Amino acid sequence: MRFSSGERSLQTLARIAEKLEARLEGDGNHEIARLGTIQSAESDALTFLANPRYRGYLEKTRAGAVLCTEDQASFSPVPVLIVKDPYLAYARISHDFDVRPQLAPGVHPSAVVDASVSVPETVHIGPNVVIESGVTLGDGCILMAGCYVGVGCELGKSVRLWPHVTLYHGVRLGDRCNVHASTVIGADGFGFAFAGDGWERVAQVGGVAIGDDVDIGAGTTIDRGAVDDTRIGDGVIIDNQVQVAHNVVIGNHTALAGKVGIAGSAKIGSFCMIGGAVGISGHIEICDKVQLLGMTLVTGNITEPGTYASANPMDKAASWRKNAVRFRHLDDIYHRLRRLEDREN
Amino acid sequence: MRFSSGERSLQTLARIAEKLEARLEGDGNHEIARLGTIQSAESDALTFLANPRYRGYLEKTRAGAVLCTEDQASFSPVPVLIVKDPYLAYARISHDFDVRPQLAPGVHPSAVVDASVSVPETVHIGPNVVIESGVTLGDGCILMAGCYVGVGCELGKSVRLWPHVTLYHGVRLGDRCNVHASTVIGADGFGFAFAGDGWERVAQVGGVAIGDDVDIGAGTTIDRGAVDDTRIGDGVIIDNQVQVAHNVVIGNHTALAGKVGIAGSAKIGSFCMIGGAVGISGHIEICDKVQLLGMTLVTGNITEPGTYASANPMDKAASWRKNAVRFRHLDDIYHRLRRLEDREN
Amino acid sequence: MRFSSGERSLQTLARIAEKLEARLEGDGNHEIARLGTIQSAESDALTFLANPRYRGYLEKTRAGAVLCTEDQASFSPVPVLIVKDPYLAYARISHDFDVRPQLAPGVHPSAVVDASVSVPETVHIGPNVVIESGVTLGDGCILMAGCYVGVGCELGKSVRLWPHVTLYHGVRLGDRCNVHASTVIGADGFGFAFAGDGWERVAQVGGVAIGDDVDIGAGTTIDRGAVDDTRIGDGVIIDNQVQVAHNVVIGNHTALAGKVGIAGSAKIGSFCMIGGAVGISGHIEICDKVQLLGMTLVTGNITEPGTYASANPMDKAASWRKNAVRFRHLDDIYHRLRRLEDREN
């Protein structure tokens, strides 16, 4: 048995069209059971065409229906649901066919919940979850197996923690936050004073304040503030293995791809898109609507929206070696070039 | 007491020679109790010489025996086991002297195993392990403390999960896979549609399909597919803190060093060697037998086997600063150089 | 209710001055309840001025007292505690006002502690902790929820493990080590021999030896040695998501910022400062007192103390593209420049 979508729900195309305010061309009674790709979907699956370059696939698709724009509809051999933004429409309907486990409310007997904590009836607490004193939980929260919620944490409504998430003391998560496995929020910031013969740790007494609708990947770490809080805005999306240091501030709806690292007290604007493995130095500011390409290193403020980059282009190692060694001569090359120019004039 | 190998087994040199099809020069009754380095091994330890540059150590070794090639044997003051590939022979015999805990079959009473799951008698389930419904476990699996195995996962024979591994719903692992602590397989891919005023999450309904004999380090994350599966081939070896995004495909026997990041839908061939902290962009293809040096950024297809690189050479910060600033003038330098050449001709 | 410091202790300025050997100017009976920033601290909070650039904030602060140097004291409108190094003094007193949970000695009933382990009365063992056979625990250790301590581990006095830490078999931690959540110490090093048609795993029989006063962040991985131990010196501080491969040696009081990756058998000196996301190749040596700027790639030995770097400067993507493409012409540019110079002379 292939593990896939479809066991969950059956919906007619008419019903899907209604939900998405899409114009249906085809049989409204046809039933959709799962999601598919345009190449491999069968007649019980819904798919989408977002990139016109895939029109060749559209012309041959055997899907039950295709979400597409008006101008692509005529190329489809199967029913179409016409919308302005097919990928966004697909995103919205996709949850009806999700395969993630649906977890009933209730507290597993192996969970260790402090007596001071009031657990709403709509909340699911999985096996081996530990909840310390003074924690507040909103309606509909789902805390999966082995999560740890430290003293005084505040979780909004419908927060989902996947297994083995650690929330240190004093972490606040807004409504509908989704945190993937083994992510750690609220560990001590990397604050040490140099004492001549070694390092002296500085107590990190700030918390972490995370807005509503924040999505956080697996294996990510978000440190608590040194004194004030580390702050993540509403609707921020964070991928796996991202490191957010103490007192970082991230504006609303900014996206951080996998393996981004942000050093202490950096301030990032809203609607930014930070590419994979980007590094951002401490104490700098990045304005709204900045896009950083993968592996860019940011060491100074960015005050103008736009796209930025810093990585080298890849090459075969043999020629890369010859060129890379000249990097150390760049300033010399520049001055020798100027000297030649000066002589000539 | 130093924690080390040797408590486990005693083997004569004759027995080791037989297992490795090695030619023994020395006393076949001498007993080996542990593994050692060529510098520090004592008479109860087996060691190897793979790199001829270490011959000086060979000449002075006090090991119980040395695995080496024919042409090095005469330099050894102690018994030798002559083989073609000493490091490979060492690898094969090393498991006889491993110090990892040997865990007896059985289910710890604190484990929470869904009633639908049939646990073979040869399987070890450690404390606080959680196994959800519909999971299948092959003979000889070892699930150490605190692992979480989601709905419908399929584990082949002799799979080992070290503590705190998380397998989301619908993850499949082939025979003899070895997954280190706190690794997360099957978390949602980073799939979001932009809705003008924010991000809309896209349900990730694909699974993760991992072949036989795959070795995965600690703190690694491998995301589930958006629709189709994320796929890892047979014999792939993956180090710590590697990020594999949704719908990545990795060919058989490819090696990924620590901290590699691979973006969504990238396709990597077989027998590749991906160096530490390499970044690979989404939706690109890398052919078989490609080697990438550490920290290389790959943003386009690689269609030819060979070695590739992109990082800058390191320098003292003072001269690095002078040169790095000229990077921004490179195109200008190039054009000024061409102008001088043109004038001259 | 904001989660913050202050519930824990009240101290008079006179008492704080005494502890820090500071000279107090102001009312010794004034009571401090918490820590604050110089901008936002109120009269019950202690703050500090380390950077003279913030003197403007000092002149307007409403803190209960300010730790500062002699020459700044006259600018403060509130009591001052005069010390030579305000940040160091702040570090030392900060723990009196920490907000981290204080955990009473005792073993939680859900913990699974092997019968062979002697737990001192001063030790705290949280829920779902698993301790295997042959483990030794020093006085005052704190093992928070869900930690796993493998066979034969040795923990010194007052070691603190935050939730979900995994210690594999044979890991040794010195006195007062502090290890944050989901960190994994002692997983197998990435050791494989190539067997022509695939990889053969090499048993990793070394341990991990960590000195006294080592601080390790969240989501970090430190691999066990192949034969000898991986070794971390006294007073080393390690941030989040750092990867330390097998047989790495790190000297005393070296600092590793977030996302650093160190490949196998690299040897790093004492009092080094390794910047964020730095990559260090295997089998190289770095001497004492080396500072590496963020994202530097080190592929050869460093034999001279000082500061080193390698990353490219960031630029707008449009001009970056034009310049980056010329990187592949650098050697060509160099030779064409030399030709022009030669002709001229």
Side-chain angles (χ1 to χ4, degrees):
Chain A
M1 180 204 83
R2 191 179 169 291
F3 188 88
S4 67
S5 68
E7 295 82 7
R8 204 56 61 71
S9 75
L10 280 176
Q11 291 193 44
T12 63
L13 290 181
R15 177 82 183 108
I16 293 171
E18 187 189 339
K19 282 188 183 176
L20 294 175
E21 299 180 31
R23 185 155 64 79
L24 171 64
E25 293 186 355
D27 175 10
N29 293 320
H30 185 77
E31 280 185 326
I32 294 298
R34 69 190 75 239
L35 305 171
T37 62
I38 198 160
Q39 298 101 312
S40 62
E42 311 220 352
S43 68
D44 63 347
L46 175 69
T47 191
F48 67 96
L49 180 76
N51 188 335
R53 289 193 306 164
Y54 288 168
R55 189 198 285 167
Y57 293 120
L58 175 61
E59 292 172 356
K60 286 181 260 175
T61 193
R62 296 185 303 171
V66 182
L67 287 157
C68 67
T69 53
E70 180 78 53
D71 57 331
Q72 301 295 333
S74 63
F75 299 99
S76 174
V78 299
V80 288
L81 292 150
I82 298 173
V83 292
K84 278 200 179 141
D85 185 337
Y87 189 52
L88 180 57
Y90 174 80
R92 286 185 171 145
I93 202 71
S94 69
H95 303 285
D96 288 6
F97 301 97
D98 201 355
V99 298
R100 56 169 59 182
Q102 291 179 331
L103 298 163
V107 179
H108 193 275
S110 64
V112 178
V113 181
D114 188 85
S116 67
V117 177
S118 161
V119 179
E121 280 186 16
T122 52
V123 163
H124 170 92
I125 310 253
N128 304 327
V129 168
V130 175
I131 303 183
E132 301 284 14
S133 64
V135 168
T136 62
L137 298 171
D139 278 329
C141 283
I142 294 174
L143 280 63
M144 290 178 70
C147 285
Y148 176 84
V149 181
V151 174
C153 286
E154 301 174 22
L155 278 65
K157 291 176 191 163
S158 300
V159 167
R160 185 177 190 132
L161 307 183
W162 293 82
H164 301 136
V165 167
T166 301
L167 306 183
Y168 278 56
H169 49 291
V171 169
R172 302 193 301 285
L173 290 167
D175 295 342
R176 295 171 303 280
C177 285
N178 184 45
V179 184
H180 280 284
S182 289
T183 279
V184 177
I185 305 180
D188 282 347
F190 197 57
F192 295 84
F194 193 64
D197 58 352
W199 299 96
E200 189 92 25
R201 192 164 60 78
V202 180
Q204 305 286 302
V205 301
V208 180
I210 294 180
D212 295 332
D213 300 297
V214 172
D215 207 288
I216 301 175
T220 280
T221 52
I222 302 175
D223 280 351
R224 64 189 316 103
V227 179
D228 292 336
D229 292 340
T230 301
R231 301 202 319 262
I232 313 283
D234 293 335
V236 170
I237 57 176
I238 301 177
D239 198 358
N240 297 347
Q241 296 190 36
V242 169
Q243 150 69 355
V244 178
H246 51 181
N247 297 105
V248 165
V249 177
I250 300 178
N252 297 343
H253 309 296
T254 277
L256 309 177
K259 290 196 158 288
V260 165
I262 308 175
S265 300
K267 196 172 168 187
I268 299 176
S270 297
F271 291 104
C272 291
M273 294 177 68
I274 312 297
V278 161
I280 297 175
S281 295
H283 296 275
I284 65 161
E285 293 200 24
I286 295 177
C287 67
D288 294 349
K289 298 188 179 173
V290 165
Q291 184 178 10
L292 296 168
L293 301 189
M295 273 199 185
T296 297
L297 174 62
V298 185
T299 58
N301 294 342
I302 300 182
T303 57
E304 205 178 318
T307 303
Y308 297 81
S310 74
N312 262 355
M314 190 190 70
D315 203 353
K316 289 191 179 182
S319 54
W320 166 78
R321 260 185 214 100
K322 284 195 301 185
N323 292 312
V325 74
R326 300 298 176 202
F327 188 87
R328 291 199 182 123
H329 307 158
L330 258 180
D331 192 50
D332 179 52
I333 287 172
Y334 179 80
H335 287 291
R336 284 159 67 176
L337 179 66
R338 279 198 57 177
R339 196 187 50 82
L340 283 181
E341 289 175 334
D342 288 349
R343 283 214 192 169
E344 198 184 47
N345 297 322
Chain B
M1 182 204 79
R2 192 179 169 290
F3 188 88
S4 67
S5 69
E7 294 83 6
R8 205 55 62 71
S9 75
L10 281 176
Q11 291 193 45
T12 64
L13 290 181
R15 177 84 183 105
I16 294 171
E18 188 190 339
K19 282 188 182 176
L20 295 175
E21 300 179 31
R23 185 155 62 80
L24 171 65
E25 293 186 353
D27 175 10
N29 293 320
H30 185 77
E31 282 186 325
I32 294 297
R34 68 190 75 239
L35 305 171
T37 63
I38 197 159
Q39 299 101 312
S40 62
E42 311 220 351
S43 68
D44 63 347
L46 175 69
T47 190
F48 67 97
L49 180 75
N51 189 334
R53 289 194 304 165
Y54 289 168
R55 188 196 288 165
Y57 294 120
L58 174 62
E59 292 172 356
K60 286 182 260 174
T61 192
R62 298 185 301 171
V66 181
L67 287 158
C68 65
T69 54
E70 182 77 54
D71 57 330
Q72 301 295 334
S74 64
F75 300 100
S76 174
V78 300
V80 288
L81 292 152
I82 298 173
V83 291
K84 280 201 177 138
D85 185 337
Y87 189 52
L88 180 57
Y90 174 80
R92 286 185 172 144
I93 201 71
S94 69
H95 303 285
D96 288 6
F97 302 97
D98 201 354
V99 298
R100 56 169 60 183
Q102 291 180 331
L103 298 163
V107 179
H108 193 274
S110 64
V112 178
V113 182
D114 188 84
S116 67
V117 177
S118 161
V119 179
E121 280 185 17
T122 53
V123 163
H124 170 93
I125 311 255
N128 304 326
V129 168
V130 176
I131 303 183
E132 302 284 13
S133 64
V135 169
T136 62
L137 299 172
D139 277 330
C141 283
I142 294 175
L143 280 63
M144 289 179 69
C147 285
Y148 176 85
V149 181
V151 175
C153 286
E154 300 175 22
L155 278 65
K157 291 175 191 163
S158 300
V159 168
R160 184 177 190 131
L161 307 183
W162 293 83
H164 301 135
V165 167
T166 301
L167 306 183
Y168 279 56
H169 49 291
V171 168
R172 301 193 302 285
L173 291 167
D175 295 342
R176 296 170 303 278
C177 286
N178 184 45
V179 184
H180 281 285
S182 289
T183 278
V184 177
I185 306 180
D188 283 347
F190 197 57
F192 295 84
F194 193 65
D197 57 352
W199 299 96
E200 190 93 23
R201 192 164 61 78
V202 179
Q204 304 287 302
V205 301
V208 180
I210 294 180
D212 294 333
D213 299 297
V214 172
D215 207 289
I216 302 175
T220 279
T221 52
I222 302 175
D223 281 350
R224 64 190 314 104
V227 178
D228 291 336
D229 291 340
T230 301
R231 302 202 318 263
I232 313 283
D234 292 335
V236 170
I237 56 174
I238 301 178
D239 197 358
N240 297 346
Q241 297 191 34
V242 170
Q243 150 70 355
V244 178
H246 51 181
N247 298 105
V248 165
V249 177
I250 300 178
N252 297 344
H253 308 297
T254 278
L256 309 177
K259 291 198 158 286
V260 165
I262 309 176
S265 300
K267 197 172 167 186
I268 299 175
S270 297
F271 291 104
C272 292
M273 294 178 67
I274 313 297
V278 161
I280 297 177
S281 295
H283 295 275
I284 66 160
E285 292 200 24
I286 296 176
C287 67
D288 293 350
K289 297 188 181 173
V290 166
Q291 183 177 11
L292 296 168
L293 300 189
M295 272 198 184
T296 298
L297 174 62
V298 185
T299 58
N301 294 342
I302 300 180
T303 57
E304 204 178 319
T307 303
Y308 297 81
S310 75
N312 264 353
M314 191 190 71
D315 203 352
K316 289 193 179 180
S319 55
W320 166 79
R321 260 186 215 101
K322 283 196 302 184
N323 291 313
V325 74
R326 300 297 176 202
F327 187 88
R328 290 197 183 127
H329 306 159
L330 258 180
D331 191 52
D332 179 51
I333 287 172
Y334 179 79
H335 286 291
R336 284 160 66 176
L337 179 65
R338 279 198 57 177
R339 197 187 49 84
L340 283 180
E341 289 175 333
D342 287 349
R343 282 213 193 170
E344 198 184 50
N345 296 324
Chain C
M1 180 203 83
R2 191 180 170 290
F3 188 87
S4 67
S5 69
E7 295 83 6
R8 207 55 62 72
S9 74
L10 281 177
Q11 291 192 46
T12 64
L13 290 181
R15 177 83 184 106
I16 293 171
E18 188 190 337
K19 283 188 182 176
L20 295 174
E21 299 180 34
R23 185 156 63 79
L24 171 64
E25 293 185 355
D27 175 10
N29 293 319
H30 185 78
E31 281 185 325
I32 294 297
R34 69 191 74 239
L35 306 171
T37 63
I38 197 161
Q39 298 101 312
S40 62
E42 310 219 352
S43 67
D44 62 348
L46 175 69
T47 190
F48 67 96
L49 180 76
N51 189 335
R53 288 194 305 164
Y54 288 169
R55 187 196 288 166
Y57 293 120
L58 174 62
E59 292 172 354
K60 285 182 258 174
T61 192
R62 296 184 302 172
V66 181
L67 287 157
C68 65
T69 53
E70 181 77 54
D71 56 331
Q72 300 296 333
S74 64
F75 299 100
S76 173
V78 299
V80 287
L81 291 151
I82 297 172
V83 291
K84 278 202 179 138
D85 186 336
Y87 189 52
L88 181 58
Y90 174 80
R92 287 187 170 144
I93 202 71
S94 69
H95 303 285
D96 288 6
F97 302 97
D98 201 354
V99 298
R100 55 170 59 184
Q102 291 180 331
L103 298 162
V107 179
H108 193 275
S110 64
V112 178
V113 181
D114 188 84
S116 67
V117 177
S118 162
V119 180
E121 280 186 16
T122 52
V123 163
H124 170 93
I125 311 257
N128 304 325
V129 168
V130 175
I131 304 183
E132 301 284 15
S133 64
V135 168
T136 62
L137 299 172
D139 278 329
C141 283
I142 295 174
L143 280 63
M144 290 179 69
C147 285
Y148 176 84
V149 182
V151 174
C153 287
E154 300 175 23
L155 279 64
K157 291 175 191 163
S158 301
V159 168
R160 185 178 190 130
L161 307 182
W162 294 82
H164 301 133
V165 167
T166 301
L167 305 183
Y168 278 57
H169 49 291
V171 169
R172 302 193 302 285
L173 291 167
D175 295 341
R176 296 170 303 278
C177 286
N178 184 45
V179 184
H180 281 284
S182 288
T183 278
V184 177
I185 305 180
D188 283 347
F190 197 58
F192 295 84
F194 193 65
D197 58 351
W199 299 97
E200 191 92 23
R201 192 163 60 78
V202 180
Q204 304 286 303
V205 302
V208 180
I210 294 180
D212 294 332
D213 300 298
V214 172
D215 207 288
I216 302 175
T220 279
T221 52
I222 302 175
D223 281 351
R224 65 189 314 103
V227 178
D228 292 336
D229 292 339
T230 301
R231 302 203 317 263
I232 314 282
D234 293 334
V236 170
I237 57 176
I238 300 178
D239 198 359
N240 297 347
Q241 298 190 33
V242 170
Q243 150 70 354
V244 179
H246 51 180
N247 298 105
V248 165
V249 177
I250 300 178
N252 297 343
H253 308 298
T254 278
L256 308 177
K259 291 197 158 286
V260 165
I262 308 175
S265 300
K267 196 171 167 187
I268 299 175
S270 297
F271 291 104
C272 292
M273 294 177 66
I274 314 297
V278 161
I280 296 175
S281 294
H283 296 275
I284 65 160
E285 292 201 24
I286 296 177
C287 67
D288 294 350
K289 297 190 180 171
V290 165
Q291 184 178 10
L292 295 168
L293 300 189
M295 274 197 183
T296 297
L297 173 62
V298 185
T299 58
N301 293 342
I302 300 180
T303 57
E304 204 179 319
T307 303
Y308 296 81
S310 75
N312 263 351
M314 191 190 71
D315 203 352
K316 288 192 179 181
S319 55
W320 166 79
R321 261 186 214 99
K322 284 194 302 184
N323 292 313
V325 74
R326 300 297 176 203
F327 187 88
R328 289 197 185 126
H329 307 159
L330 258 181
D331 191 51
D332 179 52
I333 287 172
Y334 179 80
H335 286 291
R336 284 159 68 176
L337 179 66
R338 279 197 58 178
R339 196 186 51 83
L340 283 181
E341 288 174 335
D342 288 349
R343 283 214 193 168
E344 199 184 49
N345 297 324

